[in-house]
Amino acid sequence: MDGSVIPTAVLRNLSDKLYEKRKNAALEVEGIVKALAAAGDHDKITAVINLLTTEFTFSPQANHRKGGLIGLAAATVGLTSEASQHLEQIVPPVLNSFADQDSRVRYYACEALYNIAKVVRGDFIVFFNQIFDALCKLSADSDANVQSAAHLLDRLVKDIVTESDQFSIEEFIPLLRERMNVLNPYVRQFLVGWITVLDSVPDIDMLGFLPDFLDGLFNMLSDSSHEIRQQADSALSEFLQEIKNSPSVDYGRMAEILVQRAASPDEFTRLTAITWIYEFVKLGGDQLVPYYADILGAILPCISDKEEKIRVVARETNEELRAIQVVPAEGFDVGAILSIARRQLSSEWESTRVEALHWISTLLNRHRAEVLNFLNDIFDTLLKALSDPSDEVVLLVLEVHACIAKDPQHFRHLVVFLVHNFQDDNSLLERRGALIIRRLCVLLDAERVYRELSTILEGEADLDFASIMVQALNLILLTSSELAGLRSLLKQSLVNPAGQDLFVSLYASWCHSPMAIISLCLLAQTYQHASSVIQSLVEEDINVKFLVQLDKLVRLLETPIFAYLRLQLLEPGRYIWLLKVLYGLLMLLPQQSAAFKILRTRLKTVPPSSFSGEQMKQTSSGNSYSQILHHMPSGSQVIEDGDVNHDANVHNGINFASRLQQFEHMQRQHRMHSKSSQAQSRNNSTSYSSSKVCLDFV
């Protein structure tokens, strides 16, 4: 039957190796099918199509396959408006030919489908997914002619889709999503082209499906081809503009993608991602609340990016995010934000660590109760941050600690851990001790801080550490402008109950260091007691460490802090115990030391005594107050230098005898500890020597 429909000569020419003969034969087939269509003989048309498919397109001979393809296209042209009812027979063999091993067959398949599509137009849409899949593969074909033919076909298919009302975007998106991570540059261009075209169609809502292919577009921003990067960026820019103008956007799903892309090793990808995040934070509102922690985790590292543009956008985004006021009841996860901030405190970049601390501080101010619930999770990290190499970070950490320590239990916790940190890391005390203590005194009240530190150090078992810590605190007390108020209070120790109480409080731990006690007494103007402390010192106390501390004190006596003391030397008759203290210190110093010369020079400037030589003799010999009373006006009593009370029953409230016993007891403990340490050291040395002798003998 087939032979009677299509003459044998036509069939022979259809498989000829010459294109012209195949083309002429196809025209014959077109005429035959057109006549059959006019006669309404669709059975014979079906037979012709089956013949072209089975005998030609499926033939092992390449020329037969080429003839079959051109024949099917010709048959479709012949059918014209009636072609749609035969498309199920015509299109599949053509699509199958796209995978042919012969590049010329693939080329003619493109040509055939192009001609078929021109005829059927919208009826073609039912095969769109298969055609799209085939075109995607052909866009990366190894043959340039096939690629060109595929591009022409692709352009026609796009035209058909944009004018069709039967195109299903829902069915197309999964196909697109599967291919978005393909690396081939030709395929990428093909995909971006389709995304751009479909987005331009008013009736197709590509924005609603953006989360499905957004990651793929971002992936293309790092392509080695400048053209592909540009196309992807252009598509993304267009979508971002649409987002700004759209009343309804799924920010959540896209935020997850952007957070991942903000950490891309590619600079352009990071910049684009952080720019999108910035716009999302401004536009997203409540939708983004569950994603705040993830967004913050993306922003903080970018604040320290090597690229300035990224740093600028990241900082702006960070400020926008922090400016948003939300409450935990709205899904705002304080714990998640704190976790991100804690993690970023370990960043190698200072700017990131600073902003992480700003976030912790912000959360404390806004959601204090919730933050304190997570205190155990962040406290250790905050303590470690006190060892940060950046002063700015340390100061911010202290502000956070101070905010936490507003509650008494947290205050105690902070000071205890701070002392432990200093104990575990002596270098921290040396490098940052003064900075940390001074700042805490400003933030938390100097007297409160010093009282707590004194309480902790009073019972410190590690005597060496306690001595070092007290010496450090004493130096800060004597020199820091932040502690001027504390010094003023201590100067009133003999007349002010608050000063007396502070003096006694500090005295308990200051006993760990003789020089600290002497300094405290000079500050509090309890000069007679200072003299008693000096007299109580024994040979073991006056070691190199003591002399180093004494050298520092002598130099401090020449600073403005002790100006009041130097002025008191203008009245040697009134401040006899002060003179004795200074001469006592002078006697402890080596004569060749610079400190000895400084102090001796100062004492040489003291004007002649206004009291009798006998009084000086008695005073210098260490006689008690009662012996000196004979030289004072009748009915008066000296309590300390310059403090003359006419009521013998009024006392300054400080039991100095008890304090001296306290100091001597602590110093005995230090001497015992020192001897024990030396003995242990000798034992270790002897053990080492003995083992060495044994080894030598062997």
Side-chain angles (χ1 to χ4, degrees), residues 46-67:
T46 300
V48 169
I49 294 170
N50 283 337
L51 172 70
L52 293 171
T53 302
T54 56
E55 298 298 326
F56 286 85
T57 60
F58 293 155
S59 170
Q61 301 297 320
N63 288 331
H64 277 67
R65 298 198 295 277
K66 295 172 189 174

Side-chain angles (χ1 to χ4, degrees), residues 1-8 11 44 46-48 50-51 54-55:
M1 182 187 75
D2 299 334
S4 62
V5 176
I6 302 177
T8 304
L11 293 174
K44 286 188 178 180
T46 300
V48 169
N50 283 337
L51 172 70
T54 56
E55 298 298 326

Side-chain angles (χ1 to χ4, degrees), residues 454 457-458 503-512 517 662 666:
S454 182
L457 291 170
E458 180 184 356
F503 176 82
V504 173
S505 174
L506 297 185
Y507 194 99
S509 60
W510 258 237
C511 285
H512 282 293
I517 280 290
Q662 187 178 20
M666 183 64 77

Side-chain angles (χ1 to χ4, degrees), residues 206-499:
M206 283 296 278
L207 184 59
F209 294 95
L210 182 56
D212 290 288
F213 55 87
L214 179 65
D215 191 58
L217 280 175
F218 267 93
N219 205 22
M220 294 180 192
L221 291 175
S222 58
D223 196 279
S224 57
S225 165
H226 175 72
E227 188 176 355
I228 292 173
R229 291 198 304 273
Q230 204 168 35
Q231 289 176 354
D233 180 49
S234 176
L236 285 167
S237 298
E238 184 60 36
F239 278 119
L240 186 57
Q241 193 58 45
E242 289 176 34
I243 288 170
K244 291 179 182 179
N245 299 327
S246 175
S248 176
V249 177
D250 182 4
Y251 289 102
R253 282 180 63 199
M254 289 189 283
E256 293 177 3
I257 295 166
L258 297 174
V259 164
Q260 296 296 322
R261 289 296 169 181
S264 168
D266 178 68
E267 184 180 296
F268 187 46
T269 304
R270 289 200 307 279
L271 177 59
T272 308
I274 205 72
T275 302
W276 274 61
I277 290 174
Y278 173 67
E279 296 296 341
F280 274 32
V281 169
K282 289 202 298 183
L283 300 167
D286 295 343
Q287 275 196 55
L288 285 177
V289 171
Y291 302 95
Y292 272 13
D294 293 334
I295 290 173
L296 183 63
I299 293 170
L300 289 178
C302 287
I303 283 173
S304 302
D305 200 278
K306 61 184 179 182
E307 174 56 45
E308 185 182 1
K309 290 180 182 177
I310 296 174
R311 293 198 302 271
V312 169
V313 179
R315 285 193 175 280
E316 291 174 353
T317 309
N318 187 50
E319 294 305 318
E320 285 284 343
L321 191 64
R322 197 156 50 210
I324 299 173
Q325 297 279 358
V326 291
V327 296
E330 296 173 354
F332 181 68
D333 191 342
V334 172
I337 295 280
L338 279 174
S339 179
I340 292 293
R342 178 182 58 79
R343 195 181 315 144
Q344 293 302 327
L345 276 177
S346 302
S347 167
E348 61 179 308
W349 306 109
E350 178 183 345
S351 299
T352 294
R353 299 197 300 275
V354 165
E355 289 306 321
L357 286 166
H358 278 309
W359 267 98
I360 295 174
S361 182
T362 299
L363 291 175
L364 268 170
N365 290 328
R366 293 180 185 171
H367 313 289
R368 181 178 178 81
E370 288 80 5
V371 172
L372 294 180
N373 288 335
F374 296 99
L375 191 57
N376 289 338
D377 297 335
I378 63 171
F379 199 77
D380 285 345
T381 305
L382 288 172
L383 283 172
K384 289 175 183 173
L386 290 171
S387 303
D388 197 278
S390 162
D391 283 353
E392 184 179 1
V393 170
V394 172
L395 291 172
L396 279 171
V397 172
L398 289 170
E399 287 186 18
V400 171
H401 277 303
C403 190
I404 294 170
K406 288 177 182 176
D407 301 329
Q409 72 272 28
H410 293 130
F411 174 76
R412 170 76 179 177
H413 195 197
L414 166 63
V415 181
V416 168
F417 269 86
L418 191 58
V419 171
H420 285 170
N421 262 26
F422 286 143
Q423 189 170 6
D424 293 338
D425 183 5
N426 283 333
S427 64
L428 175 63
L429 181 58
E430 292 172 15
R431 290 182 291 106
R432 288 284 168 67
L435 177 69
I436 292 170
I437 298 299
R438 288 166 59 186
R439 190 60 186 158
L440 277 182
C441 286
V442 170
L443 296 168
L444 290 173
D445 178 59
E447 183 177 351
R448 185 185 179 200
V449 171
Y450 260 70
R451 281 179 178 272
E452 192 66 47
L453 285 167
S454 182
T455 301
I456 294 167
L457 291 170
E458 180 184 356
E460 175 58 53
D462 185 345
L463 297 181
D464 290 335
F465 166 71
S467 177
I468 293 169
M469 186 73 193
V470 164
Q471 288 165 17
L473 290 173
N474 183 62
L475 187 62
I476 295 167
L477 174 63
L478 295 178
T479 58
S480 300
S481 58
E482 294 87 347
L483 276 76
L486 209 57
R487 289 195 295 272
S488 296
L489 187 58
L490 283 168
K491 286 177 186 176
Q492 302 174 48
S493 297
L494 295 175
V495 294
N496 184 326

